[in-house]
Amino acid sequence: MIEVDYRFPLGVDAEKQAKVIAVGQTAGTWDARFAHREAALSKHLGQVITVKRENITGCSIATVRFPEGNVENDISSLLTMIFGKYSMAGAAKVVAVRLSNNYGLSPKLGISGIRQRLGVFNRPLIMAIFKPALGLSAEDHAAILKEVAYAGLDIIKDDEILGDLDVAPTLERLKACRQVIDEIKQKTGRTILYAVNVTGSADKLLEKARLLVREGANALLLNVLSYGFSVLQALAADADINVPIFTHPALAGALCAAPDHGISYSVILGTFMAHAGADAVLYPAHYGSLPFDASEEAKIKHSLRDRNVFPVPSAGIHPGIVPQAIADYGKDVILNAGTGIMDHPDGAASGVKAFFQALEKVEQQESFELEHLNDGALKRALEKWGKK
Amino acid sequence: MIEVDYRFPLGVDAEKQAKVIAVGQTAGTWDARFAHREAALSKHLGQVITVKRENITGCSIATVRFPEGNVENDISSLLTMIFGKYSMAGAAKVVAVRLSNNYGLSPKLGISGIRQRLGVFNRPLIMAIFKPALGLSAEDHAAILKEVAYAGLDIIKDDEILGDLDVAPTLERLKACRQVIDEIKQKTGRTILYAVNVTGSADKLLEKARLLVREGANALLLNVLSYGFSVLQALAADADINVPIFTHPALAGALCAAPDHGISYSVILGTFMAHAGADAVLYPAHYGSLPFDASEEAKIKHSLRDRNVFPVPSAGIHPGIVPQAIADYGKDVILNAGTGIMDHPDGAASGVKAFFQALEKVEQQESFELEHLNDGALKRALEKWGKK
């Protein structure tokens, strides 16, 4: 069974709208002509379970249950059923979706698989983003990677807006960075994952993903909401794509940020990503640079962890937030910083070192106050970005 | 060049936010380390063109221009650039996007091609939707099609929520309906298009679409916003898919309906569909059963027509709206009715006849007042649904 909570603002007849959804988004109405198929039709109907009024806000939450047989065990057909036509019917927001454990896909690798590939089991992972986002050549990418990789970085990713552009074609970026990854492996024994952004029309994107993996890509990045959940599911179900898929939340605000319309962040970036085969999911941290609700972040974390998916709180992450992040997440988290590594006053390598010094300080339960810190990467980072 | 208008509500510093977008959604910032690549970086920067305050609402509209070289001539990478991360940054709505004529794809068939396939050049086309949406067998679909096809229908489509379900697998629906289509062709010389809903993960969906076309499908239906613009573009660019693609607006409200967030309906269902290769685009009519703004509908109509894409105003369409629809659209429109055909008091064939009688009345400039009508399908429809 699929259960969906719809929130209606004050003034909407939630009882009536819930019935409109339960019938209109499933079999619809039928008449005497279909009397002979009544049993077949009625087994597709949705059912209103509860309608509750929230005292403080005056909003109502209606829970509607849908038969799993109406959809195709994927997120795209689910979206059409639960909020396809109805999304255009007036003020209503999908605030929770409950799916059975076997609905959709599970990650191929997830937390445990990514840890195995890296050989890192007992601490948060540190991830960087290539910056500037556009304009660097493939060789620039390799040079940046070399700097941060030798400093101890676990994972790097393309900026989400960097596609397959002439200035640095995707395959060339991979080839240039693959040499660095191989060199690091040879000299230090460490594995660095590079999540390469896959783009293009759906057929080309899937071909390119397979090509990249054949050419040595050890992770992929997908802007799921720009390209479609159907593309994520195709990648996740493809046995040849035996590398972790990192998903980026680009465009999520267009679906999730409005108070009385759309679908909650926790549903899109939590429930749906976790049931669509993502291995690691990026989303804004509530203490980061984007406005984000702490309770939505907590729901995302739980939805992902429940299915062995790595949570990647992002946007405005710098070494000063490490104590807070560890308090919230413990060790099973990927700390993902763009400028928080690349714009360190002493360069990107120091940005990485500052994160590891911060992890060490938290581990040792030592103070983050500037006056207690020795000179070094962490102190320089805290002087620039402060502490949360 | 790509130009985007962002609308910010009263209280937002639009000048500042426009600059954040122009830089943050393109190259981002860079420092002395990249001095040697300054020329390469700066050619990717966006540029704020104007920021205007609307006197009545207090909203501001900022126009930002982006280089085409930042994106991949498609809608998915465009979405990531213009509103990827920024969609999560606070209240802002994308209200217009201006693209060059050669950006993206043009329809393979569009208005002229669909008319040629049907051999109908001088009137609006009449389209029906199989109802009830779920629970009918493949044979039920064929029986319904037979009824409406002999009554003169031009096009029929699956309901958007009907996927590839055990009760009526997509290929079986096609095969059953294809027999009716062939029979009609043989007996009357007329062509009926059946837009079959294509669903599944992206790889399976594309395979299925090719299979359906090989097996005789003469039109396809895609829920673009549930599956992704990248899937539409893959279908539209595929030379083997030599049939019109009808796009459904399911889920559009989640992106478009909020006042201060997301992307306007006219951008998603107009500009983007028209540049992503759709042949015919469904969207709510402003006098239909969904709340929809007349000016957004007019913009969609213009964006589609400019690129030879068939506008298909939908939802709550019945014979009583024909005079209004013709006044708005003239002949190059597809009138798409679900219950407005299927729930005619005398059955679906009468529903189709009522539409053709309505077209005839408008052509002859005759009255739609009940007292002036002869008994028949149109009168019965107007008695049930009234007149707009």
Side-chain angles (χ1 to χ4, degrees):
Chain A
M1 279 297 173
I2 295 159
E3 276 190 10
V4 181
D5 294 346
Y6 298 86
R7 189 178 67 210
F8 301 97
L10 187 66
V12 173
D13 182 343
E15 292 272 0
K16 183 181 162 193
Q17 292 305 311
K19 283 178 198 152
V20 166
I21 291 169
V23 177
Q25 293 292 126
T26 61
T29 53
W30 64 88
D31 61 21
R33 286 173 299 152
F34 297 102
H36 65 293
R37 295 199 65 81
E38 181 129 8
L41 294 166
S42 45
K43 80 173 183 195
H44 290 285
L45 280 175
Q47 197 186 344
V48 180
I49 304 300
T50 55
V51 180
K52 288 178 192 160
R53 178 79 168 271
E54 290 181 336
N55 281 332
I56 298 169
T57 62
C59 291
S60 298
I61 306 273
T63 300
V64 179
R65 191 177 286 167
F66 297 92
E68 272 193 24
N70 288 9
V71 287
E72 298 182 7
N73 197 35
D74 71 348
I75 302 304
S76 299
S77 65
L78 184 70
L79 282 166
T80 304
M81 177 177 70
I82 68 173
F83 212 45
K85 185 173 175 184
Y86 194 81
S87 70
M88 299 180 276
K93 186 163 186 173
V94 172
V95 293
V97 175
R98 288 174 291 282
L99 301 170
S100 61
N101 268 335
N102 56 4
Y103 192 89
L105 298 172
S106 294
K108 281 199 204 94
L109 293 148
I111 298 175
S112 51
I114 289 172
R115 286 198 175 285
Q116 271 175 356
R117 297 256 164 127
L118 290 172
V120 176
F121 299 96
N122 289 310
R123 59 165 174 83
L125 302 179
I126 305 298
M127 176 164 168
I129 309 166
F130 284 111
K131 299 279 176 185
L134 293 175
L136 300 178
S137 67
E139 293 66 38
D140 291 333
H141 282 81
I144 293 170
L145 178 57
K146 200 159 180 171
E147 195 178 343
V148 289
Y150 275 108
L153 190 77
D154 298 305
I155 308 168
I156 196 160
K157 70 176 257 300
D158 285 327
D159 191 278
E160 76 278 5
I161 62 167
L162 178 57
D164 201 350
L165 304 183
D166 288 344
V167 61
T170 307
L171 189 57
E172 286 185 27
R173 296 199 310 272
L174 171 68
K175 285 182 174 170
C177 290
R178 185 69 230 183
Q179 289 183 12
V180 179
I181 293 168
D182 291 344
E183 180 187 309
I184 296 280
K185 184 75 184 178
Q186 211 171 10
K187 294 199 179 167
T188 71
R190 292 179 54 245
T191 296
I192 312 284
L193 297 180
Y194 166 26
V196 187
N197 192 22
V198 284
T199 58
S201 62
D203 52 342
K204 298 283 191 296
L205 187 155
L206 298 173
E207 270 172 36
K208 196 185 298 177
R210 289 184 206 110
L211 172 68
L212 290 166
V213 170
R214 281 199 304 275
E215 295 287 335
N218 58 14
L220 298 175
L221 177 74
L222 180 68
N223 294 313
V224 176
L225 305 170
S226 301
Y227 291 84
F229 275 103
S230 73
V231 175
L232 172 58
Q233 296 210 209
L235 289 173
D238 189 327
D240 292 338
I241 308 291
N242 60 346
V243 302
I245 302 165
F246 287 71
T247 66
H248 194 278
L251 199 65
L255 285 162
C256 308
D260 295 329
H261 296 83
I263 303 173
S264 286
Y265 280 117
S266 56
V267 174
I268 293 285
L269 301 177
T271 314
F272 288 172
M273 293 292 177
H275 284 264
D279 293 286
V281 175
L282 281 72
Y283 53 88
H286 78 273
Y287 34 67
S289 55
L290 296 170
F292 209 75
D293 192 57
S295 71
E296 286 290 290
E297 184 182 350
K299 286 180 195 168
I300 292 171
K301 177 182 73 173
H302 288 301
S303 295
L304 300 180
R305 288 258 187 86
D306 273 359
R307 294 176 70 81
N308 189 35
V309 181
F310 237 134
V312 192
S314 301
I317 301 296
H318 56 74
I321 61 87
V322 169
Q324 169 87 58
I326 306 289
D328 284 0
Y329 283 88
K331 72 179 171 67
D332 279 338
V333 64
I334 298 176
L335 298 172
N336 172 38
T339 52
I341 285 177
M342 295 296 165
D343 290 358
H344 187 284
D346 301 327
S350 296
V352 175
K353 285 176 194 155
F355 269 97
F356 281 99
Q357 289 171 8
L359 290 181
E360 183 68 18
K361 286 252 165 234
V362 173
E363 174 91 356
Q364 303 296 327
Q365 298 183 296
E366 290 174 7
S367 162
F368 267 60
E369 298 308 317
L370 282 177
E371 61 268 29
H372 298 148
L373 289 176
N374 296 328
D375 287 345
L378 179 58
K379 188 170 184 179
R380 293 276 279 163
L382 294 173
E383 283 166 357
K384 176 166 186 173
W385 290 302
K387 166 180 174 294
K388 271 275 151 49
Chain B
M1 280 296 175
I2 297 160
E3 276 189 10
V4 181
D5 294 345
Y6 298 86
R7 190 177 66 211
F8 300 97
L10 187 65
V12 174
D13 182 344
E15 292 272 1
K16 183 181 162 193
Q17 293 304 312
K19 283 179 199 153
V20 167
I21 291 169
V23 177
Q25 293 293 124
T26 60
T29 53
W30 63 88
D31 61 23
R33 287 174 300 152
F34 298 102
H36 66 293
R37 294 199 66 82
E38 181 129 5
L41 294 166
S42 47
K43 79 173 186 199
H44 290 285
L45 280 176
Q47 198 186 343
V48 180
I49 304 301
T50 55
V51 179
K52 289 180 190 157
R53 178 81 170 269
E54 289 182 337
N55 282 332
I56 298 168
T57 61
C59 290
S60 298
I61 306 272
T63 300
V64 179
R65 191 177 287 167
F66 297 92
E68 273 193 21
N70 289 8
V71 288
E72 299 182 6
N73 198 35
D74 69 348
I75 302 304
S76 299
S77 65
L78 184 70
L79 283 166
T80 304
M81 178 176 69
I82 68 174
F83 212 46
K85 185 174 174 184
Y86 194 82
S87 70
M88 298 180 277
K93 186 164 186 171
V94 172
V95 294
V97 175
R98 290 175 288 283
L99 302 171
S100 61
N101 268 335
N102 56 4
Y103 193 89
L105 298 172
S106 293
K108 281 199 205 97
L109 295 148
I111 297 176
S112 51
I114 290 172
R115 286 197 174 286
Q116 270 173 355
R117 296 254 165 128
L118 290 171
V120 176
F121 300 95
N122 290 311
R123 59 165 174 82
L125 303 179
I126 306 298
M127 176 165 168
I129 309 165
F130 286 110
K131 299 278 176 185
L134 294 175
L136 300 179
S137 67
E139 294 67 37
D140 291 334
H141 283 82
I144 292 170
L145 178 57
K146 199 161 182 168
E147 195 177 342
V148 288
Y150 274 108
L153 189 77
D154 298 305
I155 308 168
I156 196 161
K157 70 176 256 301
D158 285 327
D159 191 279
E160 77 278 5
I161 61 167
L162 178 58
D164 201 349
L165 304 182
D166 289 345
V167 62
T170 307
L171 188 58
E172 286 185 28
R173 296 199 309 271
L174 171 68
K175 286 181 173 171
C177 290
R178 184 71 231 185
Q179 289 182 13
V180 178
I181 293 168
D182 291 343
E183 180 188 308
I184 295 280
K185 185 75 185 178
Q186 211 173 9
K187 294 200 178 164
T188 72
R190 291 179 55 246
T191 296
I192 313 284
L193 297 179
Y194 166 28
V196 187
N197 192 23
V198 282
T199 57
S201 60
D203 53 342
K204 299 281 191 297
L205 187 154
L206 298 172
E207 270 172 38
K208 197 185 297 177
R210 290 185 205 109
L211 172 68
L212 289 166
V213 170
R214 280 199 304 276
E215 295 287 335
N218 58 15
L220 298 176
L221 177 73
L222 180 68
N223 295 312
V224 176
L225 306 170
S226 301
Y227 290 85
F229 275 103
S230 73
V231 174
L232 172 58
Q233 295 207 213
L235 289 173
D238 189 328
D240 292 339
I241 307 291
N242 60 346
V243 303
I245 302 166
F246 286 71
T247 66
H248 193 277
L251 199 64
L255 284 162
C256 308
D260 294 329
H261 296 82
I263 303 173
S264 286
Y265 280 117
S266 55
V267 174
I268 294 284
L269 301 177
T271 314
F272 287 173
M273 293 291 178
H275 284 265
D279 294 286
V281 175
L282 281 72
Y283 53 87
H286 77 273
Y287 33 70
S289 54
L290 296 170
F292 209 74
D293 192 56
S295 71
E296 287 289 291
E297 184 182 350
K299 286 180 195 169
I300 292 172
K301 178 182 73 174
H302 288 301
S303 295
L304 300 180
R305 287 258 187 86
D306 272 359
R307 294 176 69 81
N308 188 36
V309 182
F310 238 133
V312 192
S314 302
I317 302 295
H318 56 76
I321 62 89
V322 170
Q324 169 87 58
I326 306 289
D328 284 0
Y329 283 88
K331 73 179 172 67
D332 279 338
V333 63
I334 298 176
L335 299 172
N336 172 38
T339 52
I341 284 177
M342 294 296 165
D343 290 358
H344 188 284
D346 300 328
S350 295
V352 175
K353 285 176 195 155
F355 269 96
F356 281 99
Q357 289 170 10
L359 290 181
E360 182 69 19
K361 286 250 165 235
V362 173
E363 175 93 355
Q364 305 296 327
Q365 298 181 297
E366 290 174 7
S367 163
F368 268 60
E369 298 306 318
L370 282 177
E371 61 269 30
H372 297 149
L373 290 175
N374 295 329
D375 288 344
L378 179 58
K379 188 171 187 179
R380 293 275 280 162
L382 294 173
E383 283 166 355
K384 176 166 185 172
W385 289 302
K387 165 179 174 298
K388 271 275 153 48

